[in-house]
């Protein structure tokens, strides 16, 4: 795999059982690139390893005044220089390729998992952690994957140097052969503590990132309530904790680096001292001493890769653990059943049924759902989108049925085509309005009709006014990141228009008009009713204006269907429904029970009159 071939046609199925297993899976997945990097690393490091011996032989040739031998040694030096240069260049190229391709594979896997889980992802993993995994953690994972091949090549060159000295100058080669393993293993006792401190730093950095992400997401609200300084102070505290943890981690790595400078220096001094004694005694040639000194000095370069691989693993292991945690999530917290194949898509025109609550949304009808608990409404919307819940007996999985077929047994692409769920807080990506509507759709609903139904006329005017000169079509106007230049109601209406333009067989809307005024809400309700005529629509809301337009209204209380009917029928007959919709207090409900029937009817008539006037 080359960088030009990215992205991967299929990033594969990762082994997400643990961080180390995930790293091993990544390494196996690009074994070809690892072998290339290892081969070029061997060329480079073996050239570095052979350099001292050729220098030593050249010194001997000078001492003996052997001209032909000196020329041969010079030619060997040129050859080794070319090998070192070419090997280093190609090693860097292949290693960086391994880094980038590994990081790209992880990013593709994370993007695929995000698309699979949808809004359920941030309910199971904090948004800040997802950001940390998708940015910094991806780079650290790629760093370890690319460092492995360089470490193996460096380790091989160290062995070559030691073995070469044993044959070239046995008397001093023994000292080097004993000292090098001590150098390589000297930092092992410190690695667990260094890794622990690195883990603490990563954890604190993840929390700080999560706090920053949440603060930015709620900046508009914070400004409205004057809470900017409060959250800024919290972020200062979190960032200082990260700084302190980073300093403690850096101190440990500084100690490790100092040891890897001190011990090789001590070995070099020992070799020079002992070699000088051997030269004075006549047991060692001057060229052999030069070769031994050069070998030890040269060995410091590949030995640095031992420190790098230890640091890369200690930093990448928690990153890989977090990535594996995200990648191991499924559409349900329960274990996925081993299904031989995806179920066949149901025939068009099937009813939507939720066995957990008993909710039935007839095909081609506009069904409104009223839940007193907003969290229950959010879980219900998620379940209607094909994410099963463990709400059945003994924690059994309960799947929503469309036309008698369980949604979670369908292929994900098929399920997404049949059912679209608009979350309570939809996201608008940056780009032009035309790009916003470039989503998979049936083609039966034009963007203009969807925008009109969602009452987006003022939004189009606002986008056109803020557009650069020369932009005359509002569809070519740009939307800033997450639509921050628009008000909450404008963002909500644009998201609704996008959902309407998709025109799925079943559209589930969770509080689609919570940020608009009553007059606009009434027109939106009429637009949804007209545009979705003959299509199954489920709206989770408590607004009387939306409920009054629905073909049927379902009241869910304590997790089950408590009543079904039209809005006006339930408003007259169900006190619990009336309490949720009209926001009656307990005292008002007790007063209503003691009121004469005529007074209670008069009060209900006034409520209905207000609805009609708003419409």
């Amino acid at each position: 795999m080359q960088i030009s071939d990215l992205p991967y046609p299929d990033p594969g199925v990762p082994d997400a059982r643990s961080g180390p297993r995930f790293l091993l899976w990544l390494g196996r997945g690009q074994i070809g690139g690892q072998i290339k990097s290892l081969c070029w690393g061997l060329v480079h490091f073996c050239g570095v390893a052979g350099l001292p011996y050729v220098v030593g032989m050249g010194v001997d040739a000078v001492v003996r005044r052997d001209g032909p031998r000196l020329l041969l040694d010079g030619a060997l030096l040129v050859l080794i220089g070319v090998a070192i240069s070419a090997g280093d260049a190609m090693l860097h190229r292949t290693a960086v390729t391994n880094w980038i391709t590994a990081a790209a594979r992880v990013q593709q896997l994370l993007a695929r998992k995000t698309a699979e889980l949808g809004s359920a992802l941030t309910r199971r993993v904090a948004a800040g952690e997802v950001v940390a995994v998708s940015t910094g953690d991806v780079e650290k994972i790629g760093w370890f994957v690319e460092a492995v091949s360089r470490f193996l090549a460096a380790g091989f060159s160290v062995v070559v140097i030691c073995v070469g000295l044993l044959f070239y100058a046995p008397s001093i080669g023994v000292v080097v052969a004993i000292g090098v393993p001590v150098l390589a293993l000297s930092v092992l006792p410190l690695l667990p503590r260094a890794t622990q401190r690195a883990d603490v730093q990563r954890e604190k950095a993840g929390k700080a990132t999560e706090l920053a992400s949440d603060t930015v997401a709620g900046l508009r609200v914070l400004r409205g309530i004057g809470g900017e300084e409060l959250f800024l102070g919290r972020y200062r505290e979190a960032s200082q904790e990260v700084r302190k943890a980073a300093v403690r981690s850096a101190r440990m790595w500084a100690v490790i680096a100092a040891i890897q400078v001190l011990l090789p220096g001590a070995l070099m001094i020992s070799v020079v001292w002992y070699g000088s004694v051997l030269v004075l005694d006549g047991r060692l040639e001057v060229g052999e001493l030069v070769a031994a000194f050069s070998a030890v000095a040269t060995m410091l370069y590949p030995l640095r890769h031992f420190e790098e691989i230890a640091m890369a693993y200690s930093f990448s292991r928690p990153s890989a653990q977090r990535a594996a945690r995200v990648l191991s999530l499924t559409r349900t917290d329960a274990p996925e059943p081993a299904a031989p194949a995806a179920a066949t898509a149901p025939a068009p025109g099937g009813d939507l049924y939720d066995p957990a609550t008993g909710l039935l949304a007839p095909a081609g009808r506009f069904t409104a759902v009223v839940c007193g608990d907003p969290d229950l409404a959010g879980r219900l919307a998620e379940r209607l989108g094909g994410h099963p819940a463990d709400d059945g007996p003994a924690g059994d999985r309960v799947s929503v049925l469309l036309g008698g077929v369980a949604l979670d047994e369908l292929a994900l692409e098929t399920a997404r085509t049949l059912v679209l769920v608009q979350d309570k807080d939809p996201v608008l990506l940056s780009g032009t309005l035309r790009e916003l509507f470039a989503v998979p759709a049936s083609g039966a609903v034009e963007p203009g009709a969807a925008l009109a139904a969602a009452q987006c006329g003022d939004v189009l005017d606002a986008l056109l006014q803020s557009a650069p000169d020369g932009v005359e079509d509002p569809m070519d106007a740009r939307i800033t990141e997450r639509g921050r230049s628009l008000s909450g109601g404008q963002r909500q209406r644009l998201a609704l228009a996008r959902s309407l333009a998709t025109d799925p067989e079943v559209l589930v809307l969770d509080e689609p008009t919570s940020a608009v005024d009553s007059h606009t809400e009434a027109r939106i309700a009429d637009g949804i009713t007209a545009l979705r005529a003959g299509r199954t629509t489920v709206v989770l809301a408590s607004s009387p204006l939306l409920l009054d337009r629905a073909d049927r209204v379902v009241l869910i209380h304590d997790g089950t269907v408590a009543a079904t009917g039209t809005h006006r029928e339930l408003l007259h007959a169900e006190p619990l429904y009336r309490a949720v919709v009209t926001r009656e207090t307990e005292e008002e409900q007790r007063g209503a029970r003691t009121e004469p029937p005529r007074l209670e009817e008069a009060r209900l008539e006034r409520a209905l009159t207000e609805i009609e006037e708003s419409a």
Side-chain angles (χ1 to χ4, degrees):
M1 173 63 72
Q2 299 296 321
I3 296 177
S4 59
D5 299 326
L6 295 175
Y8 285 91
D10 179 14
V13 180
D15 186 348
R17 289 177 289 178
S18 66
R21 288 178 182 271
F22 180 60
L23 291 174
L24 180 61
W25 177 83
L26 277 177
R28 288 201 310 263
Q30 51 190 81
I31 192 68
Q34 294 286 356
I35 292 175
K36 286 182 182 179
S37 183
L38 177 60
C39 291
W40 285 113
L42 290 175
V43 171
H44 172 66
F45 285 109
C46 286
V48 173
L51 189 62
Y53 306 113
V54 177
V55 171
M57 290 187 295
V59 172
D60 283 338
V62 171
V63 172
R64 297 174 183 176
R65 300 181 181 278
D66 189 346
R69 179 69 177 274
L70 184 60
L71 290 175
L72 177 61
D73 292 340
L76 287 176
L77 280 176
V78 172
L79 181 62
I80 288 177
V82 172
I84 292 175
S85 300
D88 188 29
M90 295 305 298
L91 171 62
H92 178 75
R93 179 185 178 89
T94 54
V96 171
T97 299
N98 288 337
W99 186 339
I100 294 177
T101 51
R105 186 191 293 269
V106 177
Q107 286 178 329
Q108 280 188 256
L109 291 170
L110 291 171
R112 185 174 67 179
K113 181 59 66 174
T114 302
E116 175 187 341
L117 295 176
S119 61
L121 175 62
T122 51
R123 294 192 182 105
R124 302 182 189 180
V125 182
E129 183 172 349
V130 177
V131 172
V133 172
S134 303
T135 53
D137 286 342
V138 167
E139 292 187 5
K140 294 178 178 62
I141 292 171
W143 176 27
F144 175 75
V145 172
E146 68 93 10
V148 169
S149 56
R150 288 191 290 109
F151 163 72
L152 293 176
F156 182 81
S157 70
V158 169
V159 173
V160 168
I161 292 175
C162 293
V163 173
L165 275 179
L166 286 174
F167 283 97
Y168 184 73
S171 54
I172 201 169
V174 174
V175 177
V176 176
I178 294 174
V180 167
V182 175
L183 294 180
L185 302 177
S186 60
V187 298
L188 285 182
L190 300 177
L191 287 180
R193 182 174 294 182
T195 302
Q196 181 181 8
R197 291 189 178 185
D199 290 348
V200 172
Q201 179 191 353
R202 292 293 156 302
E203 180 181 356
K204 291 183 179 296
K207 291 181 179 178
T209 303
E210 179 181 347
L211 179 60
S213 176
D214 293 342
T215 302
V216 171
L219 189 58
R220 183 185 294 270
V221 177
L222 291 176
R223 286 174 176 170
I225 62 176
E228 296 163 280
E229 287 299 324
L230 174 62
F231 275 81
L232 185 59
R234 291 181 181 178
Y235 182 73
R236 285 196 189 101
E237 294 177 2
S239 62
Q240 288 301 313
E241 291 293 327
V242 175
R243 183 188 62 81
K244 292 177 183 177
V247 170
R248 294 185 71 248
S249 178
R251 285 173 180 167
M252 184 57 65
W253 288 111
V255 171
I256 293 175
I259 290 175
Q260 292 204 325
V261 171
L262 178 64
L263 293 184
L267 177 62
M268 187 179 300
I269 294 173
S270 301
V271 167
V272 172
W273 174 79
Y274 182 59
S276 300
V277 172
L278 294 178
V279 170
L280 292 176
D281 291 344
R283 290 183 291 170
L284 189 69
E285 297 291 336
V286 175
E288 292 175 340
L289 175 60
V290 172
F293 172 79
S294 301
V296 175
T298 304
M299 202 180 299
L300 299 181
Y301 170 55
L303 278 176
R304 285 204 299 268
H305 291 78
F306 286 71
E307 176 191 358
E308 183 191 11
I309 194 66
M311 184 180 293
Y313 180 73
S314 65
F315 276 76
S316 65
R317 186 182 58 82
S319 296
Q321 188 66 43
R322 282 195 292 268
R325 177 171 175 253
V326 174
L327 295 175
S328 64
L329 296 175
T330 59
R331 295 173 68 188
T332 173
D333 292 332
E336 291 285 347
T344 304
D351 297 338
L352 186 68
Y353 177 65
D354 176 29
T357 59
L359 169 66
L360 174 66
R365 305 281 299 280
F366 182 0
T367 303
V369 180
V370 176
C371 296
D373 183 1
D375 293 334
L376 174 61
R379 292 195 298 270
L380 175 59
E382 180 182 345
R383 193 160 58 247
L384 293 176
H387 297 276
D390 304 333
D391 293 342
D396 296 335
R397 287 174 39 154
V398 179
S399 303
V400 170
L401 305 178
L402 178 61
V405 178
L407 280 179
D408 68 312
E409 294 179 1
L410 296 172
L412 184 60
E413 182 178 356
T414 303
R416 292 272 171 85
T417 303
L418 294 172
V419 181
L420 173 65
V421 178
Q422 178 176 301
D423 193 45
K424 185 180 298 184
D425 299 310
V427 175
L428 302 179
L429 300 179
S430 59
T432 65
L433 191 58
R434 196 180 308 278
E435 292 170 342
L436 179 69
F437 282 85
V439 294
S442 67
V445 178
E446 293 295 328
L451 289 166
Q455 300 298 309
C456 294
D458 64 314
V459 184
L460 299 180
D461 293 338
L463 289 174
L464 200 55
Q465 288 177 1
S466 61
D469 294 338
V471 177
E472 299 180 356
D473 188 347
M475 296 298 291
D476 295 325
R478 293 194 64 81
I479 300 172
T480 57
E481 183 184 1
R482 300 179 69 92
R484 297 190 189 281
S485 61
L486 303 173
S487 67
Q490 290 174 328
R491 290 197 301 270
Q492 192 175 59
R493 281 178 282 158
L494 276 182
L496 174 60
R498 178 180 57 185
S499 300
L500 293 173
T502 303
D503 189 40
E505 182 174 334
V506 178
L507 177 61
V508 180
L509 304 172
D510 188 2
E511 294 287 357
T513 58
S514 59
V516 301
D517 60 80
S518 58
H519 294 285
T520 304
E521 185 177 29
R523 292 193 295 270
I524 290 175
D526 292 335
I528 294 175
T529 304
L531 200 63
R532 294 288 299 174
R535 308 287 271 172
T536 307
T537 306
V538 180
V539 177
L540 289 86
S542 58
S543 167
L545 297 172
L546 280 175
L547 299 175
D548 193 47
R549 268 61 168 192
D551 297 324
R552 64 197 304 267
V553 180
V554 179
L555 172 65
I556 294 182
H557 181 65
D558 290 337
T560 58
V561 173
T564 303
T566 65
H567 170 61
R568 295 170 186 259
E569 291 172 352
L570 295 177
L571 199 60
H572 281 286
E574 291 293 334
L576 182 60
Y577 177 83
R578 186 166 59 248
V580 174
V581 173
T582 63
R583 275 57 169 189
E584 282 184 347
T585 64
E586 293 184 2
E587 293 182 359
E588 290 173 335
Q589 292 181 48
R590 287 194 298 269
R593 285 193 292 268
T594 59
E595 285 179 349
R598 290 183 179 178
L599 291 178
E600 183 177 358
E601 290 178 4
R603 190 164 57 82
L604 290 176
E605 289 297 333
R606 285 197 302 270
L608 294 175
T609 301
E610 290 177 0
I611 295 174
E612 293 172 352
E613 290 177 352
S614 299

